[in-house]
Amino acid sequence: MANKKNWFGILVMVLVFVMAVVGCDNDPVNGGGDTWSNVTSLSQLNGTWKGSYSFTETEDGITVKTTTEMTLTINASAKTESGTMKTTMAFSGAGIAESWSGIKETFEETGVSVTFNDSNHSMSMTVTFSDKLDDNDIAEMLASGIQINQNGTKVKQPAGDGMPEIIMTKQ
């Protein structure tokens, strides 16, 4: 039962982080050469941003590789955000065959539509969202450490809480 809660906690952490940060490309080569400054206004994030990131974690002998692709649109004047996030998780390890049904059950309980591939112990889900941003949401977003490059074509969230640095590219 504790293992089920751990996997649910990982999913919640990923979803909350991604929704709050709305991040993408973690390729440090593409981020090189930029001069970064803190985002101080929602208007700096206005537009559509796209990218992806991935990370790997091991817990109780089971490794999970998570890959997320996102598209986010922020309308600063309307104070809204909308987008799509597709996450794929591939599980492996010595005990995966015994744990797979419990992992599946945990994710089925989230209410998010999840597709499972039993042959390779993976799952994928796509979440579409549209939210109104209140002043507290905006203040939280700006205080999270998001930075923008000198020409406004990339934003990044510094690494933290087990997540990699995330760089998004304006479309």
Side-chain angles (χ1 to χ4, degrees), residues 15 18-19 22-24 48-53 68-73 81-87 125-130:
L15 292 176
V18 171
M19 296 297 277
V22 199
C24 297
T48 299
W49 303 87
K50 193 171 185 175
S52 65
Y53 70 92
T68 300
E69 298 173 356
M70 294 189 66
T71 300
L72 170 75
T73 300
E81 67 176 350
S82 61
T84 302
M85 176 182 73
K86 180 181 180 181
T87 299
M125 63 186 141
T126 300
V127 176
T128 301
F129 60 94
S130 181

Side-chain angles (χ1 to χ4, degrees), residues 6-166:
N6 289 339
W7 290 116
F8 180 71
I10 290 170
L11 172 66
V12 169
M13 179 185 75
V14 169
L15 292 176
V16 168
F17 181 79
V18 171
M19 296 297 277
V21 174
V22 199
C24 297
D25 189 8
N26 63 350
D27 180 1
V29 173
N30 289 333
D34 287 311
T35 302
W36 298 96
S37 59
N38 289 337
V39 172
T40 57
S41 168
L42 186 64
S43 63
Q44 291 174 279
L45 301 175
N46 195 60
T48 299
W49 303 87
K50 193 171 185 175
S52 65
Y53 70 92
S54 65
F55 64 93
T56 302
E57 287 186 297
T58 300
E59 185 176 321
D60 297 330
I62 296 180
T63 299
V64 58
K65 180 178 181 182
T66 303
T67 303
T68 300
E69 298 173 356
M70 294 189 66
T71 300
L72 170 75
T73 300
I74 293 181
N75 183 327
S77 61
K79 293 185 178 180
T80 60
E81 67 176 350
S82 61
T84 302
M85 176 182 73
K86 180 181 180 181
T87 299
T88 302
M89 300 174 89
F91 298 83
S92 61
I96 189 60
E98 296 81 19
S99 301
W100 183 236
S101 63
I103 292 169
K104 285 174 52 175
E105 184 179 314
T106 299
F107 285 102
E108 288 169 342
E109 293 172 358
T110 65
V112 175
S113 178
V114 181
T115 303
F116 297 98
N117 183 332
D118 293 330
S119 66
N120 67 3
H121 301 112
S122 68
M123 53 162 273
S124 63
M125 63 186 141
T126 300
V127 176
T128 301
F129 60 94
S130 181
D131 296 309
K132 185 84 172 149
L133 299 169
D134 64 27
D135 290 339
N136 289 334
D137 296 329
I138 295 168
E140 211 173 284
M141 188 182 296
L142 298 178
S144 72
I146 296 175
Q147 296 183 321
I148 192 162
N149 71 344
Q150 70 279 4
N151 56 9
T153 59
K154 298 177 191 172
V155 294
K156 75 175 176 177
Q157 176 70 34
D161 295 328
M163 298 292 291
E165 175 181 88
I166 297 171

